[in-house]
Amino acid sequence: MKTEQFTILLNNEPGVLNKILSKMSKSSINILGLTINETGSFGELRLIVDKLQEAKNLFKKLGITANTVKVLVVETDNKPGQLSNIAAILSKEDINIDYIYTISSTGKKAYTVVKTWNMEETEELFTEHGINMVSIETLTD
């Protein structure tokens, strides 16, 4: 069950992220997951939101190029070893993890975004190993 994630390259300078986040807030677009990586003079922003089309429209209005990428959001128990288990399953099958980041955790559950170089096989492996993949709707309940 793949989820769409936005990837946006930003100038690495004060105020750039705030401009985008404040416009999203004013448009009532809820951010469900966010990570940003510094790559010299640029930052790579990754976002998962509750209102995909509204976000696409907003980015276009702001003149922001936002690529969409399919990722998997997995639900695990919120305890040590869960991410190690995911990494071991993929490693055993020689699947490289492009990136992974956690987006939420509650008392008993944790939610993690996974992007690999072979998403189809990753999805099959997760299903085979009983790793629960969730939709955006699960995160907004």
Side-chain angles (χ1 to χ4, degrees), residues 5-101:
Q5 169 197 269
F6 290 106
T7 301
I8 302 169
L9 283 179
L10 306 172
N11 288 329
N12 192 8
E13 56 191 48
V16 174
L17 180 61
N18 180 53
K19 176 184 172 186
I20 294 170
L21 298 182
S22 64
K23 296 286 187 182
M24 291 177 72
S25 176
K26 288 176 185 170
S27 297
S28 298
I29 299 168
N30 191 26
I31 297 168
L32 305 173
L34 178 149
T35 184
I36 191 164
N37 301 309
E38 178 269 333
T39 58
S41 60
F42 292 96
E44 187 175 56
L45 173 65
R46 292 186 173 115
L47 291 166
I48 296 177
V49 301
D50 65 341
K51 298 175 184 170
L52 188 70
Q53 192 55 53
E54 287 91 331
K56 284 181 183 180
N57 294 342
L58 176 64
F59 297 147
K60 185 175 182 178
K61 180 180 173 184
L62 296 173
I64 295 170
T65 302
N67 296 317
T68 57
V69 175
K70 299 283 188 178
V71 295
L72 297 172
V73 178
V74 297
E75 176 187 69
T76 60
D77 291 333
N78 190 11
K79 64 182 186 181
Q82 299 301 295
L83 295 180
S84 176
N85 181 46
I86 288 169
I89 289 167
L90 296 173
S91 177
K92 183 178 178 186
E93 297 299 324
D94 200 31
I95 295 176
N96 189 53
I97 298 172
D98 293 331
Y99 53 84
I100 186 170
Y101 61 97

